[in-house]
Amino acid sequence: TRARIDGLCALQKTEWRRRAMEKTLTPGALAVLVFDGEGNRIIAKYYRGFCKSKSDQTKFEQKLFKKTKNNNVTRTDADVIMLDNVVCIFRCGGDSRFYIIGSSDENEIILNTVLDGLYMALHSLLRGQMESRNLLDNLETVMLAVDELIDGGVLLEIDPQNIVNRVLMRDDSAPPITDMSMSQAIATAKDQLFKSMGTNSDSTWG
């Protein structure tokens, strides 16, 4: 009947509004980027339709690096800029730069916490060797850490040790990472990568 159809349509509209509100209220990110000291991409993951095309991504990354390459950011501090109406939080590690990109209305404190979680997790996984060459040599580990941090733009985990444990396929009660050799850690990370390949179509890397 007409009344039943109208009722179903009203319910559907309510559900759409609810999902839209949840998406708006849920903290998230538009991109995770890691560059070397020359601004070349080490890893780049884009979410929620931000910079859909390769050319848009390249233009944004070039503009972002140009605007941040001379910023005096220490290894323990993060900085923030606005670029193309998005928030960009970044910090240095060796000759590398790590970025979290969020919408203009995203909470900067949350984005900074997300960046810290990723940085500290990689710092543990890579034994503090955050230079771009080492990141490239351990690209699988970097990718897995990002996947444990964010999925489709939604924040999954920000605690560094939890990210480390998940990358190494260990539960949260397992001994610290120092109990496992780096060769064992990388082998474990690679196994996880092969199992998860092809599951994230938004991912691109250098």
Side-chain angles (χ1 to χ4, degrees), residues 86-122:
V86 296
V87 178
C88 308
I89 309 286
F90 63 100
R91 67 180 295 178
C92 299
D95 63 343
S96 308
R97 284 182 177 254
F98 300 79
Y99 300 81
I100 297 291
I101 313 300
S103 63
S104 58
D105 57 353
E106 194 63 75
N107 188 304
E108 292 179 10
I109 295 176
I110 292 177
L111 293 177
N112 188 54
T113 303
V114 174
L115 180 59
D116 285 345
L118 175 62
Y119 184 90
M120 296 309 298
L122 289 175

Side-chain angles (χ1 to χ4, degrees), residues 86-172:
V86 296
V87 178
C88 308
I89 309 286
F90 63 100
R91 67 180 295 178
C92 299
D95 63 343
S96 308
R97 284 182 177 254
F98 300 79
Y99 300 81
I100 297 291
I101 313 300
S103 63
S104 58
D105 57 353
E106 194 63 75
N107 188 304
E108 292 179 10
I109 295 176
I110 292 177
L111 293 177
N112 188 54
T113 303
V114 174
L115 180 59
D116 285 345
L118 175 62
Y119 184 90
M120 296 309 298
L122 289 175
H123 192 274
S124 294
L125 287 163
L126 302 179
R127 293 292 195 275
Q129 302 300 310
M130 302 294 280
E131 289 75 17
S132 58
R133 183 69 263 169
N134 196 47
L135 293 175
L136 286 169
D137 288 344
N138 296 280
L139 188 59
E140 298 94 338
T141 301
V142 179
M143 292 166 52
L144 288 170
V146 173
D147 285 344
E148 293 297 341
L149 181 82
I150 299 173
D151 181 27
V154 178
L155 305 185
L156 298 179
E157 179 61 71
I158 59 174
D159 182 86
Q161 189 59 53
N162 288 342
I163 294 172
V164 168
N165 288 335
R166 291 176 182 180
V167 168
L168 300 179
M169 294 189 299
R170 301 165 65 193
D171 61 40
D172 294 343

